[in-house]
Amino acid sequence: MIKILDGKIIAQQIKAKIKSQVITITNRKPKLAVIIIGEDLASQMYVRTKIKACQECGIDGQVFSLTTTVTQKEIINKIEQLNSDNNIDGILVQLPLPKHLDTLAIINSITINKDVDGLTNINAGKLLQGDKKAMLPCTVKGILKLLNHYQIPISKQNITIINDSNIVGKPLALSLTNMGATVSIVHKLTKDLTIYTKEADIICSATGVYNIINSSQVKRDVVIIDVAINYQGKEKKVVGDINFEIMKNTASAITPVPGGVGPMTIAMLLENLMICYQLNNKYN
């Protein structure tokens, strides 16, 4: 019988634990600063979801909305102000950014103790070196937490990741490699996905392309981690990369969309913020 990897339930448990921790804090509460640039509807929705999750746990959240005409220097100046603000514990820049901006330069202006997204070059370098103190990107951390909760082995497993981004694919590959997996990264330039997916014990897909692989391209009892959010048909039904109804007849375990990786990503943001809060209170 297929195992549904329900991220919503686990995320609720994590948020309840964080809420209980925040209640015991007698001085100032943890605080997250979110910078959003432009009026992209999906980005605005994600920011609202993050701020709502903060509020549910008693965490302060503040949004800094900037127009698409903002300059890179103005954004970095704002981040530097937040870096020096002792009341701010985590800084999150909502991605993607407008094309005229240098994403890496902006992300890397965040001080390491407030890098709640784990995307700065310092945390990326720590992850590359296998430093367990590296702050992991929230989606990556959420995936690892899901696999651990459902006791899905990682060591000695063949894992294919269909994504090569700095947010998901690359840090997830490093994390899994550090845990003893043999990892392949495939992407839009890969000639034949099937070569890699057919041999995989676990497949993680985050492409934004619905039905990117079918049941004939995977082996029996594969574990499917579907990271993507897509909208299908006139009714805009929320789906992932994988046809859930078809693949559940082949896979041994699969994440639903929605309700799988998404809630875990938000929960890991809160968990990372609490780590930053402890670091900032230690050094301030």
Side-chain angles (χ1 to χ4, degrees), residues 87-146:
N87 292 315
I88 299 293
D89 299 293
I91 303 169
L92 185 154
V93 177
Q94 183 62 42
L95 303 177
L97 298 180
K99 292 183 179 180
H100 71 282
L101 299 171
D102 184 337
T103 299
L104 287 178
I106 290 170
I107 292 299
N108 285 320
S109 67
I110 300 172
T111 187
I112 186 171
N113 286 348
K114 299 188 181 185
D115 179 22
V116 74
D117 246 348
L119 296 178
T120 61
N121 51 17
I122 295 177
N123 273 315
K126 285 185 173 184
L127 177 58
L128 178 64
Q129 295 175 338
D131 187 339
K132 293 182 179 180
K133 292 183 179 180
M135 185 74 77
L136 292 179
C138 302
T139 298
V140 172
K141 193 173 182 180
I143 291 169
L144 298 179
K145 189 87 73 171
L146 261 178

Side-chain angles (χ1 to χ4, degrees), residues 214-251:
N214 56 52
S215 57
S216 68
Q217 294 173 283
V218 303
K219 67 181 183 180
R220 192 84 188 164
D221 293 333
V222 66
V223 174
I224 300 288
I225 305 296
D226 195 341
V227 185
I229 294 289
N230 299 309
Y231 300 94
Q232 187 188 32
K234 293 181 180 180
E235 68 278 12
K236 300 295 183 182
K237 180 183 177 182
V238 177
V239 295
D241 278 352
I242 309 301
N243 188 319
F244 181 87
E245 293 302 319
I246 292 177
M247 197 66 77
K248 73 179 184 181
N249 296 319
T250 301

